[in-house]
Amino acid sequence: MKQFPHLLASSILALAAAWPGTAIAAQTIDLVFNGIPAANVSTPPATPAFADWCASSCFPTTQFPVYAATGNQRGTAYVWGKSFAFGSGGSLCFSEFIAFALNEGDLHVVSGVNGTCGAPIDPALKPPLHADKGALVVIAGGGDGIIAGGTGKFKRWTGTFTDRVFVGFGAPTSGVGGIIYYDQLWFRVTPD
């Protein structure tokens, strides 16, 4: 009888090792934020990945707390942007570098050129929130990119990230460069 718990534990470990998707799923990170961001006033990461990405000029955009799906704060996101361009249909595309300062270490992600895009959404479908703060239109969008490095638990991570969001925009002089709020901002970071 005393051996039964050990046999059960060994069987569970063997099963988990035989099913590699289990380990990756446990490491995938989902982060969310809803609210009004602050201007990013942090020092850029002193990494080759940031220096290479920012070589042709970049600028800080926003910073905001990020939360797990449980509602517990996991840390803070610091965002830099560059390469803004308007596409057909009124889409706005740009590249961004995000440094997540999380409880387990820093995690850096970067979208490619035009890796993040969005376009105005019909106000009948998604009316702007925070009109009192200058929100005039909602941009629906998101992007994809890669893990660009990290520290602590994330030091050796490689893989991908995805984000999706509704952004309340106003005049360029309102909010943070026109960004008034994020609504349902979601990030998924998936290591290889």
Side-chain angles (χ1 to χ4, degrees):
M1 286 296 272
K2 290 183 179 180
Q3 289 184 341
F4 182 71
H6 297 291
L7 290 173
L8 182 60
S10 296
S11 299
I12 291 171
L13 286 174
L15 182 58
W19 193 10
T22 304
I24 294 297
Q27 291 184 8
T28 296
I29 295 176
D30 286 299
L31 302 169
V32 295
F33 174 69
N34 289 293
I36 298 170
N40 179 359
V41 294
S42 69
T43 302
T47 65
F50 184 85
D52 290 347
W53 173 81
C54 190
S56 61
S57 117
C58 67
F59 50 89
T61 60
T62 60
Q63 71 181 52
F64 45 87
V66 287
Y67 300 86
T70 60
N72 295 331
Q73 186 171 346
R74 290 280 311 264
T76 303
Y78 302 94
V79 185
W80 289 263
K82 72 173 187 173
S83 303
F84 284 80
F86 290 93
S88 61
S91 61
L92 170 65
C93 296
F94 54 93
S95 178
E96 61 186 353
F97 191 104
I98 305 170
F100 295 104
L102 303 176
N103 300 334
E104 308 96 320
D106 293 347
L107 177 59
H108 303 154
V109 298
V110 62
S111 63
V113 175
N114 299 335
T116 300
C117 293
I121 192 168
D122 185 331
L125 299 173
K126 190 80 173 167
L129 305 172
H130 305 290
D132 61 322
K133 298 196 181 325
L136 303 172
V137 66
V138 174
I139 304 283
D144 301 300
I146 61 167
I147 297 172
T151 65
K153 174 183 176 178
F154 313 111
K155 185 174 184 174
R156 290 183 171 74
W157 274 29
T158 60
T160 60
F161 88 95
T162 295
D163 63 50
R164 300 293 182 261
V165 67
F166 294 106
V167 182
F169 269 92
T173 56
S174 60
V176 179
I179 299 170
I180 307 297
Y181 67 87
Y182 294 116
D183 181 18
Q184 302 174 37
L185 175 53
W186 167 78
F187 298 96
R188 171 163 283 172
V189 183
T190 307
D192 292 334

